[in-house]
Amino acid sequence: MRVGVLTGGGDCPGLNAVIRAVVRKGVKEHGFELVGFRDGWRGPLEGVTVPLGIEQCRGILPRGGTILGSSRTNPFAVEDGVERIRANLADAGVDALVAIGGEDTLGVATRLADLGVRVVGVPKTIDNDLSGTDFTFGFDTAVNIATEAIDRLHTTAESHHRVLVVEVMGRHAGWIALHSGIAGGASAVLIPEVPFDIEAVCAHVETRFRSEYAPIIVVSEGAVPAEPSTGSGPGSGMTLVSGEKDAFGHVRLGGIGDRLASEIERRTGKEARAVVLGHVQRGGTPTAFDRWLATRFGLQAIDAVAEGEYGVMVALRGTDIVRVPLVEGTGQLKVVSPEEYAEAQVFFG
């Protein structure tokens, strides 16, 4: 049996660990031949493959990114995309696919599975926003990087008596902001799920300075104010987005940290600076937890192929790795509930 592997969407620490696990168990225990598709769904769409065996996987466990490359290619946005994928899989002699990715990559996998393509999904995103699994690999690494940054910023904020606003990734889910904010001892955390009151944020800043403590505010890139300062509509006047959309219809989020810092400085008279962590959270060596989780996902994924169970996604439930329908993993985003956010408020202030 010949099995294809691809990694799509944003890069993520732990991708190589999945590839390594799929290849090693696929070759050693199941006798499969593995082939890699380059750059996400672009690989099967254009028939771009690379050899993928045990030799190619040596030494990749601690490496960030993906040896297969990635892209945000959407074959359903391309004319005859599905037919081209079917033809290229047949030409390459590929019997089944292991697709490693987040909401968009696995969304494509779900639609292809419905059309009869034999595919197994592996959930990946630093945002931790896939509903079918308790955790995705990459999230732990991103939280650890953000926490270390917050730890380092405390001392410089206190030395200069200034506000520091730390903008983290997460798109429309506040998991990275909430977890790193609690772990790093932030003064406040602002998330997309709960629009923030800019006046309350500024009042909190004033309170912190009266206690001779320089505040650290963690804000998720998708956070929006409850009442925009200018313009109309949710987030206008505070949240910056690029008008350009990717193949899946997403705009580029970002800029809320700079706008928030400027507004705090204008309203309070306190010096405020923004630090945008950006892709630093995505890159570099995965944590031990992410290597462990990614490896377990890869082992379960290739077992699903061997057992002929397609149209499923592997998932972490408690401490167990299980298989769930692909549609269950991508049906809706997993976001922070107002109750979870309210419970976390005891750590801020």
Side-chain angles (χ1 to χ4, degrees), residues 310-338:
Y310 303 112
V312 298
M313 181 189 86
V314 298
L316 179 69
R317 297 286 177 87
T319 58
D320 297 326
I321 305 296
V322 300
R323 302 170 194 171
V324 301
L326 268 167
V327 68
E328 185 177 329
T330 60
Q332 62 181 16
L333 289 182
K334 179 179 66 181
V335 296
V336 180
S337 70

Short mmCIF file of all heavy atoms in Angstrom, two decimals, residues 310-338:
data_model
loop_
_atom_site.label_atom_id
_atom_site.label_comp_id
_atom_site.label_asym_id
_atom_site.label_seq_id
_atom_site.Cartn_x
_atom_site.Cartn_y
_atom_site.Cartn_z
N TYR A 310 -11.33 5.38 7.23
CA TYR A 310 -11.09 6.68 6.61
C TYR A 310 -12.18 7.68 6.98
O TYR A 310 -13.19 7.31 7.57
CB TYR A 310 -11.00 6.51 5.09
CG TYR A 310 -9.93 5.53 4.66
CD1 TYR A 310 -10.27 4.31 4.09
CD2 TYR A 310 -8.58 5.82 4.86
CE1 TYR A 310 -9.29 3.40 3.71
CE2 TYR A 310 -7.59 4.92 4.49
CZ TYR A 310 -7.95 3.71 3.91
OH TYR A 310 -6.98 2.81 3.55
N GLY A 311 -11.95 8.94 6.62
CA GLY A 311 -12.90 9.98 6.97
C GLY A 311 -12.91 10.31 8.44
O GLY A 311 -13.90 10.84 8.97
N VAL A 312 -11.80 9.99 9.14
CA VAL A 312 -11.70 10.24 10.57
C VAL A 312 -10.52 11.16 10.86
O VAL A 312 -9.61 11.34 10.05
CB VAL A 312 -11.53 8.93 11.37
CG1 VAL A 312 -12.73 8.04 11.19
CG2 VAL A 312 -10.25 8.21 10.99
N MET A 313 -10.55 11.75 12.03
CA MET A 313 -9.46 12.55 12.56
C MET A 313 -9.03 11.95 13.89
O MET A 313 -9.88 11.54 14.69
CB MET A 313 -9.93 14.00 12.78
CG MET A 313 -8.87 14.95 13.31
SD MET A 313 -9.54 16.56 13.80
CE MET A 313 -10.06 16.20 15.49
N VAL A 314 -7.74 11.88 14.13
CA VAL A 314 -7.27 11.43 15.44
C VAL A 314 -7.39 12.59 16.41
O VAL A 314 -7.28 13.76 16.02
CB VAL A 314 -5.82 10.89 15.38
CG1 VAL A 314 -5.76 9.67 14.46
CG2 VAL A 314 -4.84 11.96 14.92
N ALA A 315 -7.62 12.29 17.69
CA ALA A 315 -7.88 13.36 18.66
C ALA A 315 -7.43 12.92 20.04
O ALA A 315 -7.37 11.73 20.36
CB ALA A 315 -9.38 13.70 18.69
N LEU A 316 -7.13 13.91 20.87
CA LEU A 316 -6.81 13.67 22.28
C LEU A 316 -8.06 13.89 23.10
O LEU A 316 -8.65 14.98 23.08
CB LEU A 316 -5.69 14.62 22.74
CG LEU A 316 -5.28 14.49 24.21
CD1 LEU A 316 -4.55 13.17 24.46
CD2 LEU A 316 -4.37 15.67 24.62
N ARG A 317 -8.47 12.86 23.83
CA ARG A 317 -9.60 12.97 24.75
C ARG A 317 -9.12 12.50 26.12
O ARG A 317 -8.86 11.31 26.31
CB ARG A 317 -10.78 12.12 24.28
CG ARG A 317 -11.37 12.54 22.94
CD ARG A 317 -12.20 13.81 23.06
NE ARG A 317 -12.72 14.26 21.78
CZ ARG A 317 -13.86 13.85 21.23
NH1 ARG A 317 -14.60 12.94 21.87
NH2 ARG A 317 -14.27 14.32 20.08
N GLY A 318 -8.92 13.44 27.03
CA GLY A 318 -8.32 13.10 28.31
C GLY A 318 -6.86 12.74 28.07
O GLY A 318 -6.07 13.58 27.64
N THR A 319 -6.50 11.49 28.34
CA THR A 319 -5.14 11.02 28.04
C THR A 319 -5.14 10.01 26.90
O THR A 319 -4.09 9.46 26.57
CB THR A 319 -4.49 10.38 29.29
OG1 THR A 319 -5.30 9.30 29.74
CG2 THR A 319 -4.34 11.40 30.40
N ASP A 320 -6.30 9.77 26.29
CA ASP A 320 -6.42 8.76 25.24
C ASP A 320 -6.39 9.41 23.86
O ASP A 320 -6.92 10.51 23.66
CB ASP A 320 -7.72 7.98 25.39
CG ASP A 320 -7.78 7.18 26.68
OD1 ASP A 320 -6.72 6.70 27.12
OD2 ASP A 320 -8.88 7.05 27.25
N ILE A 321 -5.80 8.70 22.89
CA ILE A 321 -5.88 9.10 21.50
C ILE A 321 -7.00 8.29 20.87
O ILE A 321 -6.99 7.05 20.89
CB ILE A 321 -4.56 8.85 20.75
CG1 ILE A 321 -3.39 9.54 21.46
CG2 ILE A 321 -4.68 9.33 19.30
CD1 ILE A 321 -3.49 11.05 21.50
N VAL A 322 -7.99 8.98 20.33
CA VAL A 322 -9.16 8.33 19.76
C VAL A 322 -9.33 8.80 18.31
O VAL A 322 -8.61 9.67 17.83
CB VAL A 322 -10.42 8.65 20.58
CG1 VAL A 322 -10.27 8.18 22.02
CG2 VAL A 322 -10.72 10.16 20.55
N ARG A 323 -10.29 8.20 17.63
CA ARG A 323 -10.64 8.61 16.27
C ARG A 323 -12.06 9.15 16.27
O ARG A 323 -12.97 8.55 16.83
CB ARG A 323 -10.53 7.42 15.31
CG ARG A 323 -9.15 6.78 15.28
CD ARG A 323 -9.18 5.47 14.50
NE ARG A 323 -7.96 4.70 14.73
CZ ARG A 323 -7.79 3.45 14.32
NH1 ARG A 323 -8.78 2.82 13.66
NH2 ARG A 323 -6.66 2.81 14.58
N VAL A 324 -12.24 10.30 15.64
CA VAL A 324 -13.56 10.92 15.55
C VAL A 324 -13.82 11.25 14.09
O VAL A 324 -12.89 11.39 13.30
CB VAL A 324 -13.66 12.20 16.42
CG1 VAL A 324 -13.38 11.88 17.88
CG2 VAL A 324 -12.70 13.27 15.91
N PRO A 325 -15.08 11.35 13.68
CA PRO A 325 -15.37 11.75 12.30
C PRO A 325 -14.71 13.11 11.99
O PRO A 325 -14.70 14.01 12.84
CB PRO A 325 -16.90 11.85 12.28
CG PRO A 325 -17.35 10.96 13.38
CD PRO A 325 -16.31 11.07 14.45
N LEU A 326 -14.19 13.25 10.78
CA LEU A 326 -13.55 14.50 10.40
C LEU A 326 -14.47 15.70 10.60
O LEU A 326 -14.03 16.76 11.06
CB LEU A 326 -13.12 14.44 8.93
CG LEU A 326 -11.69 13.95 8.66
CD1 LEU A 326 -11.52 13.64 7.18
CD2 LEU A 326 -10.67 14.97 9.12
N VAL A 327 -15.74 15.52 10.30
CA VAL A 327 -16.68 16.64 10.43
C VAL A 327 -16.80 17.08 11.88
O VAL A 327 -17.06 18.25 12.16
CB VAL A 327 -18.05 16.25 9.85
CG1 VAL A 327 -18.74 15.18 10.69
CG2 VAL A 327 -18.93 17.48 9.70
N GLU A 328 -16.60 16.16 12.82
CA GLU A 328 -16.68 16.51 14.24
C GLU A 328 -15.49 17.39 14.65
O GLU A 328 -15.60 18.24 15.53
CB GLU A 328 -16.71 15.24 15.09
CG GLU A 328 -16.90 15.49 16.57
CD GLU A 328 -17.01 14.22 17.38
OE1 GLU A 328 -17.50 13.21 16.84
OE2 GLU A 328 -16.59 14.22 18.56
N GLY A 329 -14.37 17.16 14.00
CA GLY A 329 -13.18 17.93 14.34
C GLY A 329 -13.19 19.33 13.77
O GLY A 329 -12.53 20.23 14.29
N THR A 330 -13.92 19.53 12.67
CA THR A 330 -13.88 20.82 11.98
C THR A 330 -15.23 21.52 11.93
O THR A 330 -15.36 22.57 11.31
CB THR A 330 -13.36 20.62 10.54
OG1 THR A 330 -14.26 19.72 9.85
CG2 THR A 330 -11.98 20.01 10.53
N GLY A 331 -16.24 20.92 12.55
CA GLY A 331 -17.59 21.46 12.46
C GLY A 331 -17.75 22.85 13.05
O GLY A 331 -18.52 23.66 12.54
N GLN A 332 -17.04 23.13 14.13
CA GLN A 332 -17.12 24.46 14.74
C GLN A 332 -15.82 24.75 15.47
O GLN A 332 -15.07 23.84 15.83
CB GLN A 332 -18.29 24.53 15.72
CG GLN A 332 -18.18 23.57 16.91
CD GLN A 332 -19.37 23.67 17.83
OE1 GLN A 332 -20.41 24.21 17.47
NE2 GLN A 332 -19.23 23.13 19.03
N LEU A 333 -15.56 26.03 15.69
CA LEU A 333 -14.36 26.42 16.41
C LEU A 333 -14.56 26.24 17.91
O LEU A 333 -15.64 26.48 18.44
CB LEU A 333 -14.02 27.88 16.12
CG LEU A 333 -13.49 28.21 14.72
CD1 LEU A 333 -13.15 29.68 14.64
CD2 LEU A 333 -12.28 27.37 14.37
N LYS A 334 -13.50 25.81 18.57
CA LYS A 334 -13.52 25.71 20.03
C LYS A 334 -12.96 27.02 20.58
O LYS A 334 -11.80 27.34 20.37
CB LYS A 334 -12.66 24.52 20.48
CG LYS A 334 -12.60 24.35 22.00
CD LYS A 334 -11.75 23.14 22.37
CE LYS A 334 -10.30 23.35 21.99
NZ LYS A 334 -9.45 22.19 22.31
N VAL A 335 -13.78 27.75 21.28
CA VAL A 335 -13.37 29.06 21.79
C VAL A 335 -13.52 29.10 23.30
O VAL A 335 -14.12 28.23 23.92
CB VAL A 335 -14.20 30.18 21.14
CG1 VAL A 335 -13.95 30.24 19.64
CG2 VAL A 335 -15.69 29.99 21.43
N VAL A 336 -12.95 30.15 23.89
CA VAL A 336 -13.05 30.35 25.34
C VAL A 336 -14.46 30.81 25.67
O VAL A 336 -14.96 31.79 25.09
CB VAL A 336 -12.02 31.40 25.81
CG1 VAL A 336 -12.13 31.61 27.32
CG2 VAL A 336 -10.61 30.99 25.43
N SER A 337 -15.10 30.13 26.60
CA SER A 337 -16.46 30.52 26.99
C SER A 337 -16.40 31.72 27.95
O SER A 337 -15.39 31.92 28.65
CB SER A 337 -17.17 29.36 27.68
OG SER A 337 -16.60 29.11 28.96
N PRO A 338 -17.46 32.51 27.99
CA PRO A 338 -17.50 33.62 28.95
C PRO A 338 -17.30 33.16 30.38
O PRO A 338 -16.70 33.87 31.20
CB PRO A 338 -18.90 34.22 28.74
CG PRO A 338 -19.26 33.85 27.34
CD PRO A 338 -18.65 32.50 27.11
#
